[in-house]
Amino acid sequence: MEQVLGHLGVDPSKGLSTGEVGVRLARYGQNRLPDPPRKSLWVRLFGQLANPLVLTLLGAALIAVVVGVSTHGDQGFLTKFGDAIAILLIVIVNAVLGFVQESRAEAALDALKSMTAPTARVRRNGDVTVVNADELVPGDMLEIEAGDFVPADARLLQTIDFAAEEAALTGESAPAGKDARQPVADDMPLAERSTMVFLGTTVVRGKGRAVVVATGSQTELGKIGEMIASTPDEKTPLEQRLESFGRRILWACLGISLLLFAWGMIKGGRAWHELLLEAVSFAVAAIPEGLPAITTITLALGMQRMAKKGAVVRKLLAVETLGAASIICTDKTGTLTQNEMTVRFVFASFRRYRVTGEGYDPRGHLQADGSPPVDQAPQSAVEGKLPPTLDYLLATAALCTNATLEIDNDTQRWKVIGDPTEGALLTLAAKGGRAKESVALSHTVVRELPFDSDRKRMTVVTLDQHGREVAHVKGSLDVLLSLCVKIATDEGVRGMTDDDRARVQGEADKMSGDALRVLAIARRVRPSVDNPEEALTLLGIVGMKDPPRAGVKEAIRTCRDAGIRIVMITGDHPITAVAIARELELWTDGDEAITGSELSKMSEDELRARAMRLRIFARTTAEQKLRIVNAFRALDHVVAMTGDGVNDAPALKQAHIGVAMGRSGTDVARQAADLVLADDNFATVVDAIREGRSIYRNIQKFIFFLLSSNAGLAVAVFVVSFIKGALPPTPLQILWINLVTNGLPALALGVDPPDPGHMKEQPRPSKAGLLGARDFFGVGFVGVVMGLAAAGLYVFPPEAAHGDIGFIRAMAFTLLALSPLFHAFSCRSQTRSIVSQRPFISLPLLLACVISAAVHLVAVLVPALRPVFRTFPMAESEWFLVIGLSFAIIPAVEILKAITRARAT
Ligand code: ATP
């Protein structure tokens, strides 16, 4: 071990200095495995073209060229090849747009990834700090514990009950026990090297200290050249559904266009290649090509918005699932509450002490009920004037800990480094003059049994100044009471009677009823080596306050309005949990709370039958979380579940939306989660659900918009060519509308501001399709209205047209381009009338429609483009007619909405 440290040139008590880290970083490079090669710009740009729709468009352009070449007469180049050039231009514009959107989505995802990049705790310049894992260098002193990713290859120097899961490296999924003191031979296989930990593995038990020996590509994982499992590009169910939906429309449209072609051939009078061009382009034009790209960008932008609010989505899938969440299973400590603990009461030797002071500030007093304050003793005095039981209790509180208190340089307030529960106990000890630093002078730590949520206790064995081993134990009262056989009083230690137990329990219940978290403190002199936690002496209990987080009460109210049920799953005592639930107005009449042990006696059927009445699961183990998720899943709920420990990972994976804590959570929990909360706050989950709902709505809005506008085009073409036998809008005109003028409003609908009423509605049923029967009826209705308005121009041509079919077609073109721009405003709500939509104005949509209208006007008004788009100058009255007919879609849809609303009431 010394050899390794000497070789790496590091003093384990101080770690490396900042300067030395810089030197080594320059020599060894960043601790990062090489990124997988990215696709080049050109490959990605051309990738946009390798899509059946674009290929069909290219086919259409080719046919257009053939048509141009075979057209006789002396028309200009633009008139002959205008269609082909324009189709090609549209293909290029579409490819560039797709490329830009893809890059933006990718950049957004990359930014999110870096927000959840792994970090490492290292000792540098004598202090433990958290650094980005890629800044580690050989020689860095690592502190690792259960739940951490191992950030580099490292030699263990110290281990406490340590085990790592090394499947990524050895293929062996059972945890490998590690012991820093074991000897190792050079030729030992990786799986058996019990003094080493490796990059890409995770710590599943215990904690340890290690010195980094290799980073980046020098690590075992780097040498194998394998990447750590990165999340593969996944398509969300929504995208998959859209793709298959798109394919079905493609076939339907190809069928219709074949019919159109056959009809034209039977009727005769037109060249076959012209008909073919029309048929192919019609098919392509009737398909909403923009859909997948707009969906991806909407999801990606939504993720960015969520990230700004502190909810980092790790899987695209979560964005759409979030909107359907109907149950949130949440932790209590740190999520609903601040996890800023302050001890308010101590009960020792059957005396109750009130504790004054705020936060982790060690200024404050302990005051026995009915007597003057126990004065703050000098910091160095371990043997002060405290009553003996209280003295032992405070000393145990100061020793059984991994936390430390320090003053924050920025805020000048005291803060805890480590577990807040332990911080509260350190503060308490300091208030009684038993600061950790002074108590530790006379004790040497020999062993530790770390805290774990399932054991609900922690023990530190020390050697005191008399050379005796003493076990210092703290944990939940229910667990410790069963381990204690004696009780300490100021008159001496004696066997614990049932009456003693009842008195302590009664005091604890009182504290719990005041929403205090109760911890018991015990010790044992000369504990047994096998089990230092048996036959303990109870020193007393403490009750600590953990105030609710700001904003949580409001978030709970929002969930109630939104039909989302909140269930508290906590390791804490049921009485404390209920008291906090009441404080937060989470607890309502008829609610029930059960404990983990009651839960373990219930059958699955019983659990399911009671599940919707159970508000609190207290004293649960991580394994039981999985049962709870499954019970709600079986009841067809969409479940979001929060968690932070290693043991929570299976439940996080099993929930529809696993939510991990960004600050206090372990790497393992974060890796298993779909959503990571940067601020660990429950209110942020609710914000994310709000955003998820609005994104889903927006996707529904633009799909409805695109499909219904396309239906309008399809009906127009169909009626004009089939029924009237006249010239329908040209393929280019249809493409123009479909890809150019409709694109922006669809994108704008994707970022439509959320309707404040969203969180007043019930969650959407988990199995509901994207569009319902009513929406499809709406698509058909809009298609008929828009299509017939355009066809009406052919049937009742305005006088000024003098029967010129080309002129009528140009009017129909403008009508079909402008009508969707009006229609888009109706699409903001499926039921609310256009004047009662909230917020009333959507700026992005207004801007998008104005730009689209302006772009269309360019095609109509610029003389050079007229031959390409087959447009003509129109008189004022014709403009009025076209705009009037375009606008007609608004009242038509309003009538439909009014009927829907009337039927719903
Ligand atoms: P939640 O599950 O909502 O976060 P919790 O913090 O009470 O609630 P755990 O952290 O699993 O849940 O703790 C379970 C119990 O273990 C606590 O109620 C407390 O009695 C005890 N406990 C908590 N922290 C420690 C600690 N550092 N040392 C010893 N015992 C502890």
Side-chain angles (χ1 to χ4, degrees):
M1 208 184 287
E2 282 70 31
Q3 243 177 328
V4 180
L5 291 170
H7 177 72
L8 291 164
V10 59
D11 169 0
S13 62
K14 292 212 178 70
L16 298 174
S17 65
T18 311
E20 185 58 27
V21 170
V23 172
R24 294 192 188 193
L25 211 50
R27 189 177 337 145
Y28 298 103
Q30 290 221 316
N31 175 32
R32 206 189 278 163
L33 294 181
D35 284 334
R38 289 227 162 183
K39 281 191 240 161
S40 80
L41 196 96
W42 290 110
V43 172
R44 287 198 295 162
L45 201 53
F46 279 107
Q48 298 290 332
L49 303 180
N51 150 341
L53 289 170
V54 175
L55 292 180
T56 326
L57 272 182
L58 289 177
L62 194 72
I63 297 173
V65 173
V66 175
V67 174
V69 171
S70 55
T71 311
H72 301 290
D74 51 0
Q75 293 118 315
F77 178 80
L78 259 189
T79 319
K80 268 189 175 179
F81 295 105
D83 277 347
I85 295 171
I87 294 175
L88 281 177
L89 269 180
I90 286 178
V91 168
I92 292 169
V93 169
N94 205 34
V96 170
L97 274 184
F99 171 78
V100 171
Q101 286 178 352
E102 197 175 88
S103 310
R104 261 189 92 175
E106 225 167 69
L109 292 179
D110 279 352
L112 294 179
K113 260 189 214 155
S114 70
M115 287 174 80
T116 51
T119 53
R121 273 189 312 282
V122 288
R123 185 174 288 277
R124 284 182 183 170
N125 307 311
D127 291 324
V128 176
T129 52
V130 176
V131 298
N132 279 338
D134 52 13
E135 287 163 23
L136 286 180
V137 290
D140 259 328
M141 299 296 305
L142 280 182
E143 309 262 331
I144 39 179
E145 61 181 23
D148 286 349
F149 280 136
V150 178
D153 286 3
R155 166 74 158 91
L156 288 162
L157 304 176
Q158 230 179 33
T159 45
I160 299 172
D161 189 25
F162 195 94
E165 201 259 300
E166 301 186 325
L169 212 57
T170 60
E172 173 58 59
S173 62
K178 303 272 173 179
D179 188 344
R181 290 161 303 188
Q182 292 281 317
V184 256
D186 283 350
D187 55 352
M188 204 174 244
L190 273 189
E192 288 158 33
R193 282 191 216 168
S194 60
T195 54
M196 287 284 296
V197 280
F198 303 99
L199 171 67
T201 63
T202 47
V203 185
V204 290
R205 205 173 60 226
K207 56 185 199 171
R209 239 182 228 168
V211 57
V212 173
V213 294
T215 56
S217 46
Q218 300 301 311
T219 58
E220 292 298 329
L221 192 71
K223 282 190 217 151
I224 305 174
E226 263 179 29
M227 295 297 122
I228 303 178
S230 59
T231 23
D233 280 353
E234 49 176 354
K235 286 217 158 68
T236 73
L238 181 69
E239 286 177 304
Q240 285 166 5
R241 243 183 292 163
L242 281 181
E243 265 181 21
S244 76
F245 188 56
R247 265 196 301 274
R248 258 179 285 155
I249 299 187
L250 175 73
W251 289 117
C253 293
L254 281 177
I256 296 175
S257 52
L258 212 69
L259 271 180
L260 278 178
F261 178 69
W263 175 255
M265 290 300 283
I266 293 165
K267 254 185 40 186
R270 292 181 66 195
W272 69 268
H273 49 250
E274 228 173 87
L275 282 173
L276 187 65
L277 172 65
E278 201 165 283
V280 171
S281 301
F282 163 73
V284 177
I287 297 159
E289 288 90 350
L291 258 188
I294 298 179
T295 309
T296 311
I297 189 83
T298 303
L299 288 173
L301 289 180
M303 285 167 81
Q304 254 177 348
R305 277 199 304 275
M306 285 189 189
K308 275 198 200 120
K309 290 184 184 155
V312 182
V313 175
R314 290 192 59 251
K315 296 180 188 142
L316 211 54
L317 164 71
V319 182
E320 56 177 287
T321 323
L322 264 170
S326 56
I327 300 255
I328 309 176
C329 298
T330 172
D331 281 343
K332 173 178 69 66
T333 310
T335 314
L336 297 176
T337 64
Q338 296 178 7
N339 204 6
E340 232 198 62
M341 311 267 178
T342 317
V343 176
R344 289 274 167 248
F345 292 103
V346 180
F347 185 69
S349 187
F350 302 103
R351 251 216 229 156
R352 187 175 155 115
Y353 299 85
R354 191 180 294 275
V355 185
T356 60
E358 286 310 317
Y360 298 109
D361 190 334
R363 282 171 302 185
H365 298 287
L366 284 91
Q367 187 168 11
D369 276 355
S371 54
V374 174
D375 265 345
Q376 206 170 320
Q379 291 279 317
S380 58
V382 179
E383 313 294 336
K385 292 174 287 177
L386 299 175
T389 316
L390 187 60
D391 193 1
Y392 282 129
L393 183 142
L394 297 186
T396 292
L399 287 167
C400 183
T401 194
N402 282 307
T404 43
L405 297 176
E406 65 177 40
I407 292 185
D408 190 302
N409 283 337
D410 300 333
T411 60
Q412 290 303 310
R413 285 182 57 202
W414 283 86
K415 66 172 185 187
V416 51
I417 310 291
D419 182 350
T421 303
E422 295 181 4
L425 290 173
L426 288 182
T427 309
L428 169 75
K431 283 174 185 169
R434 297 290 175 267
K436 180 180 174 181
E437 297 71 25
S438 59
V439 182
L441 288 178
S442 48
H443 288 263
T444 327
V445 176
V446 285
R447 200 174 159 198
E448 179 186 327
L449 302 177
F451 170 70
D452 135 356
S453 297
D454 288 351
R455 278 172 20 90
K456 298 188 174 42
R457 61 184 184 272
M458 166 181 177
T459 298
V460 170
V461 181
T462 62
L463 213 57
D464 70 6
Q465 69 266 51
H466 310 299
R468 297 178 307 180
E469 278 203 350
V470 184
H472 306 269
V473 190
K474 71 181 189 323
S476 79
L477 178 65
D478 24 357
V479 172
L480 251 60
L481 259 192
S482 60
L483 299 175
C484 287
V485 292
K486 294 183 188 163
I487 187 161
T489 70
D490 291 342
E491 288 72 45
V493 174
R494 60 173 162 81
M496 188 149 48
T497 62
D498 285 348
D499 183 48
D500 294 336
R501 283 178 201 276
R503 281 179 74 185
V504 174
Q505 188 64 58
E507 196 61 35
D509 288 350
K510 245 190 272 165
M511 291 184 191
S512 302
D514 288 337
L516 298 181
R517 174 190 175 93
V518 179
L519 239 76
I521 296 181
R523 68 177 214 152
R524 162 94 197 255
V525 181
R526 297 200 187 84
S528 86
V529 180
D530 295 340
N531 182 6
E533 290 174 342
E534 66 182 359
L536 305 174
T537 301
L538 184 72
L539 297 172
I541 57 174
V542 300
M544 45 184 86
K545 179 87 188 148
D546 180 14
R549 292 186 80 128
V552 166
K553 221 172 177 175
E554 293 70 25
I556 289 174
R557 216 170 293 145
T558 308
C559 285
R560 189 167 306 135
D561 291 345
I564 303 166
R565 190 175 172 82
I566 303 167
V567 175
M568 187 199 282
I569 304 181
T570 174
D572 214 337
H573 194 277
I575 302 182
T576 311
V578 171
I580 290 190
R582 281 189 201 280
E583 220 171 280
L584 289 168
E585 292 173 15
L586 174 59
W587 187 264
T588 49
D589 291 345
D591 282 350
E592 295 173 15
I594 59 164
T595 61
S597 55
E598 286 170 286
L599 177 63
S600 60
K601 292 187 201 110
M602 277 165 101
S603 70
E604 293 310 318
D605 287 341
E606 279 172 294
L607 175 58
R608 271 178 225 163
R610 265 182 84 185
M612 295 312 284
R613 277 178 309 196
L614 292 172
R615 177 71 69 189
I616 291 172
F617 294 83
R619 290 286 190 238
T620 42
T621 60
E623 200 186 307
Q624 287 169 335
K625 281 195 172 180
L626 195 60
R627 260 192 86 189
I628 300 168
V629 174
N630 282 332
F632 284 123
R633 283 192 74 126
L635 293 170
D636 271 346
H637 279 287
V638 175
V639 188
M641 153 84 68
T642 68
D644 44 20
V646 202
N647 310 348
D648 290 337
L652 292 181
K653 279 201 183 128
Q654 182 66 9
H656 293 95
I657 309 145
V659 186
M661 302 301 145
R663 279 207 230 151
S664 63
T666 55
D667 292 339
V668 174
R670 277 198 288 270
Q671 189 69 16
D674 305 292
L675 186 72
V676 177
L677 303 181
D679 56 1
D680 296 8
N681 190 348
F682 175 79
T684 310
V685 184
V686 181
D687 274 342
I689 292 181
R690 187 197 313 270
E691 195 63 60
R693 279 193 181 189
S694 113
I695 291 172
Y696 196 82
R697 283 293 165 80
N698 286 352
I699 290 176
Q700 282 176 323
K701 289 177 200 172
F702 70 66
I703 291 180
F704 180 78
F705 167 72
L706 286 175
L707 286 188
S708 53
S709 305
N710 274 23
L713 285 171
V715 168
V717 173
F718 205 74
V719 172
V720 170
S721 56
F722 256 92
I723 301 176
K724 187 80 174 81
L727 277 184
T730 70
L732 175 66
Q733 289 175 338
I734 298 177
L735 278 175
W736 175 256
I737 295 171
N738 217 351
L739 292 176
V740 182
T741 57
N742 280 356
L744 273 185
L747 261 182
L749 283 171
V751 292
D752 204 31
D755 181 334
H758 275 172
M759 292 303 269
K760 298 250 183 292
E761 292 163 16
Q762 296 296 305
R764 74 180 136 91
S766 58
K767 297 201 172 84
L770 201 54
L771 298 188
R774 200 180 66 194
D775 302 304
F776 282 111
F777 179 78
V779 166
F781 176 80
V782 172
V784 168
V785 174
M786 235 184 236
L788 289 189
L793 286 173
Y794 289 78
V795 183
F796 309 105
E799 265 176 36
H802 300 300
D804 178 355
I805 199 80
F807 190 82
I808 293 172
R809 181 173 64 182
M811 285 177 78
F813 170 44
T814 295
L815 186 154
L816 287 168
L818 295 187
S819 198
L821 304 185
F822 288 116
H823 176 48
F825 289 91
S826 304
C827 294
R828 292 185 57 216
S829 168
Q830 288 144 311
T831 48
R832 258 190 231 281
S833 80
I834 199 161
V835 285
S836 58
Q837 283 170 166
R838 290 188 295 163
F840 181 60
I841 296 275
S842 161
L843 267 186
L845 185 61
L846 197 63
L847 204 66
C849 289
V850 169
I851 295 176
S852 282
V855 168
H856 182 72
L857 286 187
V858 170
V860 178
L861 299 180
V862 174
L865 292 176
R866 282 193 182 134
V868 181
F869 288 101
R870 313 275 153 89
T871 50
F872 298 91
M874 290 194 284
E876 226 168 72
S877 62
E878 288 142 15
W879 273 112
F880 271 127
L881 179 65
V882 167
I883 293 176
L885 282 174
S886 312
F887 185 80
I889 193 65
I890 290 191
V893 172
E894 284 309 308
I895 292 171
L896 184 69
K897 283 189 194 173
I899 296 172
T900 317
R901 282 196 301 271
R903 285 188 51 189
T905 51

